[in-house]
Amino acid sequence: MNIKRSLKTVSLHFSFAASSLETVIGLYGETFEIPCNNGAIKSEDIIMTKWKYDKGEGTPGDLLVKQKNQNVSISATDEYKDRIRLAENSSLLLSAAKLSDQRTFTCMVVAGADITEYPVHVVIYKTAAGLEISDRAEELEIGKLTKLGTCVAKDSNPAANITWLKNNSPLEADGKGISIKASVLVNPATGLSTTTSTLEYSAQKEDTGAEFTCSTKPTVGSELFSPPATFTITYSTENIVLQVTAQDPLVEGDNVTLKCVADGNPPPTAFNFYLKGALVKVENANSYTIKNVTRNTSGEYKCSLIDDPSMEASKEITVNYLDIDLSPSGNIVKNAGDALDLSLQIDASGISAVSWKKDNVVLDEEPNFAELTYTDSGRYECEVKMGGLSQKAFIELTVEGVPVIKRLIKKRGEDGRHKVLICEVEGSPKPAVSWSINGTSLDESPFVNGKITHKITVVPTANLTVSCTVSNEFGVDSRTINVSSRKYKVVKRDKTNLGSKQTLMIHTTNEQLKRPVLYNKCLFFLILFRI
């Protein structure tokens, strides 16, 4: 088809897609698409598509032409010759995007008698190659404005805006403790910009361990962050503390360590320790150990900086001790009736509590022995407690003396014929018990607290006087008790001789005959109940 001939015979109408340019973003170094007519004209109606660009100062440059049913013809002879191609939808595909591509590209479409142009403005973006903090300070001094470091965002378009952060919170220049200076350098070869931001910072004590970072938010893509940086914060000692490390409770024979802790950074390494008037200097360490403490170790201790003795701290140390003296103690032998003065002396570093036991039974109060009895014999143990300390002492008390019969009694046996004689004795050492009569069922109780009970069972056939005799190495005691024999015989007479009455014949012992009143009363009741 001859274009010139067609122009002579066809009346063409030119129009522009819009008065304002469409903008397309391309990423640096990548292929991007510049749209043509965005589907406003059907592809089957298009006779010819032509792409051109603005070379500057209104001078157009041809890129390619595509006539219907023909292949694409590349007309560009400059840098675009090998970087352009036409998409099926007539869009222009531009590879290896450069900053020089930031210009206006125009798509001209011939459809029927109409020629329409679609200009598109291209903008090329490039994210910074990365962020890092360089020229870092070796340390930051409290209250002194110091260059912390420089953050660099290399090769970006447009130029990056850098933000400084401390523990992820943005920092803003205040002209006092924070100063931020930024500059931009453009590479003449690539047109890319490198942004440099320098932070000067006046540190505080709480900045110890703080993480400083810098960041930038590109126009396209995610926000970038530099690796975090931490700094040594230096400051003079403002506070000093004396720490005491020891067993709890601290008792005699233990070790105690004194540690002087200063809040300066770097921390001091030389200290004075004042040990109850004695001065000890320690270098390249902050602690001192006192071994095998005694109660005399108790008192006030101090530490200070060698460089500044006025910076000091103190601590009171108490060595706990508990001593008891029970007098008398151990095995004690006393005579019955004597007095025993029991004395407990306590020497302790604090308030103590005393408890007593007798033969492992808790006593309500301290034992008092104004007049010893055999029941006072036993093991007495006292325990004194103070905090976590405890001391015990004991006496094993034995009360000795002549045995004494406390009671000698008799009881009727269950069958009415036997008599049980009981001899209750006190004495120590254990008394030997003997009877003046032989008997059966001998029974002896355990010897406890100087007491013993001895039982014997007898069947008296006559009136007896029985004695119980007890003895030990200190003496003898004896008691007697009367034991009578009673015989009852019941005889029934013939009713014919006594009519309806029965006659009870009672034979008594001579002892009963001596008691006529008691005998008559018994006879009366026997006759009354017709036994």
Side-chain angles (χ1 to χ4, degrees):
M1 175 180 181
N2 192 315
I3 296 295
K4 292 183 178 181
R5 185 180 298 175
S6 298
L7 292 175
K8 290 180 179 179
T9 59
V10 178
S11 176
L12 299 177
H13 303 280
F14 289 88
S15 62
F16 292 94
S19 58
S20 60
L21 295 181
E22 181 180 358
T23 299
V24 171
I25 296 175
L27 297 181
Y28 187 89
E30 298 183 8
T31 299
F32 67 97
E33 180 179 354
I34 306 173
C36 177
N37 79 65
N38 289 319
I41 301 175
K42 296 180 180 180
S43 59
E44 59 267 23
D45 296 333
I46 297 175
I47 298 174
M48 183 186 69
T49 300
K50 180 179 180 179
W51 276 98
K52 58 184 179 178
Y53 70 99
D54 184 4
K55 299 177 66 174
E57 298 180 355
T59 302
D62 292 334
L63 294 173
L64 57 80
V65 174
K66 170 69 170 68
Q67 295 191 33
K68 191 171 184 178
N69 299 325
Q70 293 185 16
N71 294 327
V72 176
S73 174
I74 302 297
S75 54
T77 59
D78 54 14
E79 61 172 320
Y80 290 113
K81 178 181 178 181
D82 299 322
R83 295 173 54 213
I84 57 175
R85 56 191 176 92
L86 190 68
E88 291 184 0
N89 60 359
S90 297
S91 295
L92 179 67
L93 299 178
L94 183 58
S95 63
K98 303 177 181 180
L99 292 190
S100 58
D101 295 331
Q102 294 188 123
R103 60 181 78 215
T104 300
F105 291 80
T106 301
C107 172
M108 185 180 72
V109 178
V110 178
D114 296 328
I115 298 176
T116 306
E117 290 188 347
Y118 298 92
V120 179
H121 183 65
V122 172
V123 177
I124 304 299
Y125 286 155
K126 183 181 184 302
T127 301
L131 294 180
E132 61 177 340
I133 299 176
S134 59
D135 298 330
R136 292 170 48 175
E138 292 184 1
E139 59 185 32
L140 301 178
E141 184 176 348
I142 286 182
K144 182 179 179 180
L145 195 64
T146 305
K147 178 183 175 181
L148 182 143
T150 299
C151 183
V152 179
K154 296 180 180 180
D155 298 334
S156 69
N157 189 65
N161 290 318
I162 294 177
T163 300
W164 285 92
L165 304 98
K166 184 185 77 171
N167 293 333
N168 296 323
S169 296
L171 297 174
E172 295 182 3
D174 57 10
K176 297 179 181 179
I178 301 175
S179 176
I180 300 174
K181 297 178 181 179
S183 62
V184 178
L185 180 63
V186 179
N187 187 327
T190 63
L192 298 176
S193 299
T194 295
T195 302
T196 301
S197 179
T198 301
L199 171 64
E200 292 183 334
Y201 188 76
S202 179
Q204 303 297 321
K205 187 180 296 185
E206 55 268 22
D207 290 328
T208 301
E211 292 187 343
F212 290 84
T213 55
C214 58
S215 71
T216 183
K217 183 68 172 70
T219 306
V220 178
S222 301
E223 187 173 4
L224 300 178
F225 292 90
S226 69
T230 58
F231 298 87
T232 299
I233 311 298
T234 63
Y235 48 89
S236 301
T237 297
E238 297 178 353
N239 298 289
I240 189 171
V241 176
L242 178 59
Q243 297 178 348
V244 177
T245 303
Q247 295 289 335
D248 186 21
L250 175 62
V251 299
E252 292 183 310
D254 286 349
N255 297 339
V256 59
T257 298
L258 308 178
K259 185 177 182 180
C260 210
V261 180
D263 63 354
N265 194 33
T269 58
F271 297 90
N272 292 322
F273 287 92
Y274 302 91
L275 311 175
K276 297 185 67 177
L279 173 62
V280 176
K281 292 186 177 182
V282 175
E283 296 185 355
N284 300 320
N286 66 345
S287 62
Y288 181 81
T289 299
I290 306 172
K291 297 182 178 180
N292 297 319
V293 298
T294 67
R295 64 193 64 187
N296 296 326
T297 308
S298 297
E300 184 183 33
Y301 291 77
K302 295 181 180 180
C303 73
S304 69
L305 301 181
I306 288 182
D307 296 338
D308 184 7
S310 64
M311 186 72 66
E312 70 173 16
S314 62
K315 196 82 171 182
E316 192 74 23
I317 294 178
T318 299
V319 179
N320 294 278
Y321 59 91
L322 176 61
D323 295 332
I324 65 173
D325 181 18
L326 180 63
S327 179
S329 62
N331 295 319
I332 306 298
V333 179
K334 300 289 287 184
N335 293 326
D338 289 350
L340 175 61
D341 185 12
L342 198 61
S343 173
L344 176 63
Q345 299 295 327
I346 301 174
D347 185 14
S349 57
I351 299 175
S352 58
V354 182
S355 61
W356 285 87
K357 290 182 179 179
K358 179 187 178 184
D359 297 328
N360 290 324
V361 177
V362 177
L363 300 179
D364 295 332
E365 57 186 11
E366 180 179 348
N368 181 21
F369 305 115
E371 185 177 353
L372 290 170
T373 65
Y374 296 112
T375 58
D376 291 328
S377 296
R379 180 185 175 90
Y380 294 83
E381 183 179 79
C382 67
E383 182 176 18
V384 182
K385 291 184 178 181
M386 185 200 70
L389 298 180
S390 175
Q391 293 284 355
K392 292 182 179 180
F394 77 95
I395 63 169
E396 189 77 39
L397 177 61
T398 301
V399 180
E400 295 183 338
V402 178
V404 176
I405 297 176
K406 305 301 290 185
R407 285 202 312 167
L408 178 59
I409 59 174
K410 58 186 176 182
K411 291 184 178 180
R412 186 182 297 276
E414 294 181 358
D415 60 357
R417 296 177 62 246
H418 296 79
K419 296 291 181 66
V420 179
L421 305 184
I422 304 171
C423 190
E424 297 179 357
V425 185
E426 287 186 1
S428 181
K430 177 184 175 182
V433 181
S434 62
W435 297 88
S436 62
I437 189 175
N438 293 328
T440 61
S441 302
L442 295 177
D443 181 24
E444 183 178 279
S445 68
F447 182 63
V448 178
N449 292 332
K451 291 184 177 182
I452 188 172
T453 300
H454 205 277
K455 297 180 182 180
I456 187 173
T457 302
V458 297
V459 182
T461 58
N463 293 337
L464 301 172
T465 298
V466 180
S467 63
C468 175
T469 302
V470 294
S471 63
N472 63 12
E473 61 188 69
F474 290 95
V476 178
D477 190 19
S478 180
R479 280 198 187 184
T480 60
I481 188 170
N482 293 323
V483 180
S484 61
S485 172
R486 292 195 179 112
K487 296 182 180 179
Y488 299 93
K489 184 178 181 181
V490 179
V491 180
K492 292 186 179 181
R493 300 296 186 184
D494 192 294
K495 291 183 179 180
T496 57
N497 297 331
L498 298 175
S500 60
K501 294 182 179 179
Q502 297 179 7
T503 301
L504 177 64
M505 300 299 293
I506 299 176
H507 299 273
T508 68
T509 64
N510 294 331
E511 184 180 352
Q512 291 171 331
L513 293 177
K514 297 178 182 178
R515 304 174 188 173
V517 176
L518 178 59
Y519 169 75
N520 292 334
K521 287 183 178 181
C522 291
L523 181 59
F524 170 77
F525 284 107
L526 290 172
I527 295 173
L528 177 63
F529 290 100
R530 305 174 66 88
I531 296 177

